[in-house]
Amino acid sequence: MRKTIIEALLLVLTSACSYAQTQGRRQTTPTKAEQEILDLSRKKWDWMADKNTDSLAVLFDDKSVFVHMGGSWGKAQEVNVIKSGGIHYKKADIHSAGANIIGNTAILLNNITLLAVVGGNEVTNPFIVTEVYIKENNRWKLGSLSFTKVNTPGGPR
């Protein structure tokens, strides 16, 4: 009888621990709209690496804001910084990405390691990048992009 009670308690504890671990991580298949925004974000990283400022200028809303480690600015300065090579986003290794859509707004989190050239110096930093997109006239526009430096690349979000 005592052995049965102990086994039952272990079963309950194991189930509870397993449930708690799966609740901490959201691993669901993105909806069609979420996948669309994830694909657009990935394309944006490619455009940034290629210095494709024409496509970026179309994607960035005129009122968009960009937050970097060294400051924040608007669309015109971001496009000019990319065009001039002030910051060259050479490669974004995306460790994970997820999107949440609220009405006509999409909030995307990318956990990346970014290889960039800043002021002539090549640097590699792990970031969580927050992107906010707004859908207007059936087109997504980037409203905000913010870099938050983290200590561990690919770490938990």
Side-chain angles (χ1 to χ4, degrees), residues 1-2 21 28 34 59 63-64 69-70 72 74 77 92 108 113 116 123 136 140 148 155:
M1 175 78 164
R2 185 177 191 172
Q21 287 178 355
T28 60
E34 290 168 342
L59 177 64
K63 295 179 182 175
S64 58
M69 291 169 51
S72 61
Q77 188 169 350
L108 188 144
T113 298
V123 293
E136 290 182 345
W140 288 107
T148 302

Side-chain angles (χ1 to χ4, degrees), residues 72-82:
S72 61
W73 47 77
K75 173 184 177 177
Q77 188 169 350
E78 182 71 10
V79 170
N80 287 336
V81 163
I82 293 169

Side-chain angles (χ1 to χ4, degrees), residues 37 40-41 44 48 56-66 75 78 106 108 110 129-135 139-146:
I37 206 72
L40 181 60
S41 173
K44 173 215 26 92
M48 293 171 100
L56 290 169
V58 172
L59 177 64
F60 298 165
D61 188 88
D62 289 342
K63 295 179 182 175
S64 58
V65 293
F66 300 84
K75 173 184 177 177
E78 182 71 10
L108 188 144
N110 280 307
V129 179
T130 306
E131 300 172 42
V132 178
Y133 292 85
I134 298 98
K135 195 166 197 174
R139 294 192 70 172
W140 288 107
K141 299 288 273 187
L142 180 72
S144 176
L145 185 144
S146 300

